[in-house]
């Protein structure tokens, strides 16, 4: 696990500007839309955060809802673009943000989006039944979107491919997924603690910035995890 994190950190640090700019395009509408929509619904937009009062009224609900819908497709495109960017950078190619997004096949982005939705649906059903099945399903199928991009798996084959790679490495996969979200949560809680200093709006800006910083790292972590699992599979043959 240590080597995996070191590899992810080294890649992110070397190409931080590229990945952060990619996150601005792929993730910023997502976070802004979530903040606006939940604030308009008078609900906290993150743990420890109060709704932002300026985003009240039906108009803001429509705007936030529209951005949230756009978010889904952009998030899928962002994941595909980061995977392709890592492949190009490994080959020594010079890459720009727009070139990374232009290389994304829309059909693949739609497939990743559907995989996102199905994975969350399956995990949610598992969690509603019992906690353990939900965790097990998360470990088995979390890498399905990456199977679509990296191995070009289609349909249910992406879920089967994810489960195949995870077999025998469930503890490691669960630990890395948990660590990834743990880091994100720790940053969010720290920002929530600063809310008395910056107010709801200022804290919202800080939280959005944190999400934009952590999102590329989380994807890199999963890319390199997928790569490690593929290498382990090859070594066992």
């Amino acid at each position: 696990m240590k080597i995996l994190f070191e590899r992810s950190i080294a890649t992110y640090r070397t190409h931080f500007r590229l990945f952060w700019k990619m996150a601005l395009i792929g993730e910023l509408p997502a976070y802004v839309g979530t903040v606006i929509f939940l604030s308009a619904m008078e609900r906290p937009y993150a743990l420890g955060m109060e709704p932002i009062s300026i985003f009240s009224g039906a108009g803001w609900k429509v705007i936030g809802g529209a951005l949230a819908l756009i978010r889904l497709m952009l998030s899928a495109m962002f994941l595909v673009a980061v995977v392709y960017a890592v492949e190009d950078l490994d080959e020594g190619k010079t890459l720009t943000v727009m070139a990374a997004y232009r290389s994304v096949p829309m059909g693949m982005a739609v497939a990743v989006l559907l995989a996102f939705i199905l994975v969350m649906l399956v995990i949610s059903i598992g969690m509603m039944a019992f906690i353990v099945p939900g965790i097990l399903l998360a470990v088995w199928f979390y890498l399905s979107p990456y199977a679509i991009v990296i191995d070009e798996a289609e349909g249910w084959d992406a879920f089967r491919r994810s489960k195949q790679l995870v077999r025998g490495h469930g503890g490691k996969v669960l630990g890395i997924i948990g660590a990834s979200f743990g880091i994100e949560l720790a940053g969010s809680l720290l920002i929530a603690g600063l809310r008395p200093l910056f107010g709801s709006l200022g804290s919202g800006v800080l939280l959005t910035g944190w999400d934009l910083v952590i999102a590329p790292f989380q994807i890199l972590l999963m890319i390199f995890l997928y790569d490690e699992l593929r290498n382990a599979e090859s070594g066992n043959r």
Side-chain angles (χ1 to χ4, degrees):
M1 185 181 294
K2 179 182 178 182
I3 295 175
L4 184 63
F5 271 87
E6 288 176 348
R7 184 182 179 190
S8 302
I9 292 170
T11 301
Y12 193 24
R13 185 170 53 217
T14 303
H15 305 286
F16 176 80
R17 291 182 64 184
L18 171 66
F19 290 124
W20 193 77
K21 288 178 181 178
M22 290 173 67
L24 281 175
I25 296 174
E27 293 293 312
L28 184 58
Y31 299 120
V32 173
T34 299
V35 170
I36 292 175
F37 183 73
L38 291 179
S39 292
M41 297 292 291
E42 298 183 353
R43 294 174 55 191
Y45 57 87
L47 187 63
M49 296 295 188
E50 296 295 327
I52 299 176
S53 59
I54 62 172
F55 300 128
S56 60
W60 284 113
K61 291 180 183 178
V62 173
I63 294 172
L67 287 172
L69 290 175
I70 293 171
R71 163 213 180 172
L72 296 174
M73 192 61 192
L74 286 177
S75 293
M77 292 179 65
F78 177 51
L79 185 149
V80 179
V82 172
V83 173
Y84 282 7
V86 169
E87 292 176 352
D88 287 343
L89 291 170
D90 283 345
E91 295 173 3
K93 297 180 181 178
T94 301
L95 193 66
T96 64
V97 174
M98 296 314 299
Y101 275 102
R102 281 196 298 267
S103 69
V104 174
M106 290 307 298
M108 181 173 285
V110 171
V112 168
L113 171 59
L114 293 176
F116 274 150
I117 295 172
L118 286 173
V119 168
M120 292 301 104
L121 180 62
V122 169
I123 293 173
S124 297
I125 293 173
M127 287 294 188
M128 284 188 292
F130 293 100
I131 297 296
V132 173
I135 294 174
L136 182 61
L137 291 171
V139 172
W140 278 353
F141 300 130
Y142 193 81
L143 295 174
S144 299
Y146 297 87
I148 293 173
V149 186
I150 297 172
D151 281 330
E152 298 184 355
E154 297 181 357
W156 291 111
D157 286 342
F159 288 80
R160 283 191 285 268
R161 179 60 175 152
S162 177
K163 184 180 177 182
Q164 179 184 29
L165 286 175
V166 170
R167 187 179 297 118
H169 305 280
K172 177 179 181 178
V173 173
L174 177 60
I176 291 171
I177 293 173
S180 172
F181 283 102
I183 293 169
E184 179 183 3
L185 179 61
S188 298
L189 290 174
L190 176 61
I191 293 171
L194 296 175
R195 188 167 62 86
L197 293 177
F198 297 100
S200 292
L201 182 58
S203 298
V205 172
L206 289 175
L207 186 62
T208 299
W210 168 240
D211 285 336
L212 292 177
V213 168
I214 196 63
F217 175 74
Q218 290 175 313
I219 294 178
L220 288 172
L221 198 57
M222 293 303 118
I223 292 172
F224 294 137
L225 170 61
Y226 196 96
D227 185 54
E228 279 197 7
L229 295 176
R230 289 175 82 198
N231 290 336
E233 180 188 47
S234 299
N236 290 330
R237 289 176 179 173

